[in-house]
Amino acid sequence: MKPEAAPEWRTSAWLNTPEPLSVAHFRGRVVLLHAFQMLCPGCVAHGIPQAQRVATLFEGAPLAVVGLHTVFEHHAAMGPESLRAFLHEYRVGFPVGIDAPGPDGDPIPRTMRAYAMQGTPTAILIDAQGRLRNQVFGQYDDLLLGAEIGALLVEAGQQRLEATGVASAAGHCADGRREADAGAPGQNPLS
């Protein structure tokens, strides 16, 4: 997947956060966007617990876990009050946006359509520059997700170092030699 700007989230309300959130709000941080429906068995059994584990395991890292309740079926049963109770019962503490309804009676919500999601659960990785890096419909393997998050966090760290100029000194020894030359044959690295 070629990195392109992640589409902005089109929501009608937010839960577990005092203010509406956007992709731009998280610049400088990696984002795991977890799209779900509360009546989706795969979301309840796998997707939501996985997003909660990521939020716990990467606490303190420049990573945000954000939920997106994107309802494309059973609209009447999955309103905001039901969602609020669901999030409380399942102890979901990360922010959750309610995907805005599609225009002109379209049953597909706006953010779901913007990301061309096939259904739920869908996990979306957005890098620290706000670019869409991966999107997986269905069960996302824990090890693969962890590896991809780790790679994006390393990339974000390198970008921060380059922005501060610290990276330009990397690869040099305290005496000014390059690390690659410090142990070159015929040279005593201790002299």
Side-chain angles (χ1 to χ4, degrees):
M1 169 178 282
K2 182 181 178 240
E4 294 183 10
E8 199 50 70
W9 306 326
R10 310 265 317 264
T11 58
S12 60
W14 283 89
L15 303 173
N16 296 341
T17 181
E19 62 187 16
L21 302 175
S22 66
V23 173
H25 177 88
F26 292 104
R27 283 286 155 90
R29 298 173 70 189
V30 173
V31 176
L32 169 62
L33 178 66
H34 170 61
F36 71 98
Q37 293 186 98
M38 64 181 155
L39 295 181
C40 161
C43 299
V44 174
H46 180 75
I48 292 168
Q50 182 179 58
Q52 289 171 310
R53 287 191 306 272
V54 169
T56 300
L57 291 171
F58 289 93
E59 187 175 1
L63 171 86
V65 175
V66 177
L68 180 70
H69 191 241
T70 184
V71 178
F72 56 90
E73 58 189 355
H74 310 299
H75 292 85
M78 292 191 274
E81 287 308 311
S82 297
L83 177 60
R84 196 178 323 280
F86 175 87
L87 296 176
H88 173 76
E89 290 300 320
Y90 281 88
R91 293 172 174 75
V92 174
F94 49 80
V96 175
I98 299 174
D99 205 351
D104 303 320
D106 182 356
I108 306 299
R110 293 176 187 258
T111 306
M112 183 179 210
R113 186 163 303 285
Y115 280 83
M117 292 182 214
Q118 298 173 301
T120 58
T122 296
I124 296 169
L125 286 173
I126 299 170
D127 68 18
Q129 294 180 336
R131 300 176 303 178
L132 179 63
R133 296 298 290 270
N134 201 4
Q135 182 168 321
V136 175
F137 167 59
Q139 190 166 339
Y140 202 156
D141 181 79
D142 284 338
L143 290 175
L144 180 57
L145 175 59
E148 290 178 356
I149 288 171
L152 290 176
L153 289 171
V154 167
E155 182 180 290
Q158 290 171 337
Q159 290 166 354
R160 276 193 303 280
L161 288 175
E162 289 170 4
T164 61
V166 174
S168 63
H172 290 83
C173 296
D175 65 1
R177 293 179 295 156
R178 291 184 319 123
E179 287 178 5
D181 297 335
Q187 293 184 354
N188 181 350
L190 300 176
S191 61

